[in-house]
């Protein structure tokens, strides 16, 4: 009975941590660092890194980077990067997250070169993008994509393109 209750509590805390980190990530995408920090306060104190803690730690690093705390953010990003092997993620998911961390580090350094701890590991991995979890790609996109307005009409067809006459 005691083991079952502990596993239920752990599952509950992992769910809360996952939802809080996703909400914080959405706030970061919107540019609201203060709201992201507030969302991260909902994360329980004890979360297993291998289950959901990696996501929380990654979002915390991104929050620090967005707040302008480069050194602390990069150090946290390196810690997450190095501990990804402790998780139960697939090899391709780990490779994708390592590439994501590398890109965020490149964006947040003054000279455009990531720390050597990230560079050294990044040269030795490969992954198949088709095998990466789509929800992971949605949460952590590699490229920063600007949204296009939906009200832009399609370009007109050139003259003579629509006719079927021979």
């Amino acid at each position: 009975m005691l083991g079952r209750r502990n596993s239920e509590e752990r599952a509950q805390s992992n769910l809360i941590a996952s939802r809080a980190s996703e909400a914080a990530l959405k706030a970061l995408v919107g540019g609201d660092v203060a709201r992201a920090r507030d969302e991260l306060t909902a994360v329980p104190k004890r979360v297993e890194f291998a289950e959901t803690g990696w996501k929380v730690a990654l979002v915390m690093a991104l929050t620090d980077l967005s707040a302008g705390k480069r050194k602390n953010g990069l150090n946290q990003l390196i810690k997450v990067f190095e501990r990804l092997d402790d998780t139960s993620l697939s090899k391709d998911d780990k490779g994708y997250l390592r590439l994501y961390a590398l890109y965020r580090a490149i964006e947040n350094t003054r000279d455009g070169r990531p720390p050597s701890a990230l560079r050294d590991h990044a040269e030795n991995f490969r992954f198949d993008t088709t095998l990466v979890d789509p929800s992971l790609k949605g949460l952590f996109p590699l490229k920063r994509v600007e949204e296009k307005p939906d009200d832009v009409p399609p370009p007109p067809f050139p003259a003579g393109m629509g006719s079927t006459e021979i």
Side-chain angles (χ1 to χ4, degrees):
M1 175 100 175
L2 182 63
R4 180 176 165 193
R5 191 175 91 194
N6 285 340
S7 65
E8 288 174 0
E9 287 176 5
R10 189 171 63 221
Q12 180 78 16
S13 66
N14 284 334
L15 181 65
I16 292 169
S18 180
R19 287 182 180 167
S21 61
E22 289 173 13
L25 198 55
K26 287 179 185 176
L28 284 177
V29 168
D32 192 356
V33 177
R35 195 178 102 215
R37 287 193 191 280
D38 288 341
E39 294 289 346
L40 287 173
T41 59
V43 175
K45 297 293 180 195
R46 179 111 169 108
V47 178
E48 293 291 325
F49 184 84
E51 295 175 13
T52 309
W54 64 268
K55 188 187 298 185
V56 174
L58 184 57
V59 173
M60 284 182 170
L62 294 174
T63 303
D64 282 348
L65 290 173
S66 296
K69 299 179 180 179
R70 284 185 181 168
K71 188 172 185 177
N72 189 29
L74 287 174
N75 287 337
Q76 287 182 1
L77 202 59
I78 290 169
K79 287 178 185 176
V80 173
F81 187 89
E82 291 173 345
R83 290 191 62 197
L84 280 175
D85 287 332
D86 297 341
T87 65
S88 62
L89 295 170
S90 71
K91 178 185 169 194
D92 295 315
D93 290 346
K94 291 174 191 175
Y96 181 85
L97 286 173
R98 286 190 172 117
L99 188 62
Y100 178 82
L102 183 69
Y103 283 5
R104 299 298 82 84
I106 289 170
E107 290 174 354
N108 288 290
T109 56
R110 291 188 179 133
D111 60 354
R113 293 189 62 188
S116 62
L118 295 176
R119 268 193 321 241
D120 294 342
H121 291 290
E123 295 173 357
N124 297 326
F125 72 87
R126 293 183 182 195
F127 65 96
D128 185 355
T129 56
T130 59
L131 297 178
V132 176
D133 186 13
S135 64
L136 193 66
K137 285 182 184 179
L139 282 175
F140 304 104
L142 292 180
K143 294 182 181 180
R144 304 248 185 220
V145 180
E146 295 183 20
E147 295 180 17
K148 295 180 183 178
D150 292 335
D151 59 345
V152 177
F157 285 109
M161 287 294 293
S163 84
T164 57
E165 297 175 17
I166 298 181

